[in-house]
Amino acid sequence: MSEGAADNKSAGVGSVLSDARQRQGLSVADVARQLKLRVRQIEALEADDYKSLPRITFVRGFIRNYAKLLQIDAEPLLKPTEHLLPTPQVPEAEPGVAEIPTASDKKNTWRSYAIFVLFAALGVMFLGFEWYREQAAPRPKPVPVAVKPPKSKPPVMQVTPQPAIPAIPAIPASPIVPSDTPPPEQISEAKPVAQQIRSGEIRLEFDQESWVEITDKNGKTVFSQISPAGSIQTVRGHPPFSLVLGNAVGVRLIYNDKPVDLQPYTKVDVARMTLE
């Protein structure tokens, strides 16, 4: 097909795009900015000047995106450009001719395979070394933190008045010896004070996302979750507490209103410690 015939079949595509653009109040620069193309490419599309553009397959993509931006159907605009597509040519295979790999190709293949195996072995060795170093790392010593005893109100002692002992005329009254044993009411009231259990409060402020696990003195997990950045968690329980903090650089720890420095107990971004 001649070049003149091709221009006649594709004529009108650019004018359709140009008219639609002008009706929507868009400039050539606006379209070029939204399609991420150059201004001269948009002008070539509207002028049906496909010689100034890349391959016809790219031109069809430009037309399809341009039509989508203007919200018009792209298929009627693509049909006039179908004759510009190159006809695929299937090469005829010569009988009895096959490509024989040369010695240099085999050498390059073995070299690539050897490099891949070498890097894989180095990666396995590195992971094994990191695991061994993590297992061999000394456990952090417990952090001595003074714990303030909880303030409690003294129990109210209720004294029941003793009934008067009637006088017996025949038998002289013996003097009453004071006893050191407190009344039963006082014993029952004082018992909860002796049985009070010491407790502690842990406050975690997360500047970065971090994973935390906390167990109490009985080995029970009282807190275990991934907390997002900007969140605050408060945990209460019975010390001593065992803590494991992932991404410890992004966590601030406050125990019983006292900040705790995590840096001495951090190993490879993981902090392990015990709070008394």
Side-chain angles (χ1 to χ4, degrees), residues 68-148:
K68 182 178 180 181
L69 175 64
L70 299 175
Q71 298 181 355
I72 60 178
D73 189 7
E75 294 304 323
L77 302 178
L78 294 174
K79 288 182 178 180
T81 62
E82 291 179 353
H83 65 283
L84 300 178
L85 293 172
T87 303
Q89 297 180 357
V90 180
E92 297 181 359
E94 298 182 4
V97 178
E99 185 177 354
I100 301 175
T102 61
S104 59
D105 295 337
K106 293 182 178 180
K107 185 177 180 180
N108 291 334
T109 302
W110 279 105
R111 181 179 299 172
S112 301
Y113 178 75
I115 293 174
F116 172 77
V117 172
L118 177 61
F119 276 100
L122 290 176
V124 172
M125 292 174 61
F126 176 76
L127 292 177
F129 175 74
E130 288 295 327
W131 178 85
Y132 174 78
R133 188 174 65 174
E134 177 68 18
Q135 295 296 324
R139 297 293 181 177
K141 297 181 179 179
V143 182
V145 179
V147 180
K148 295 181 179 179

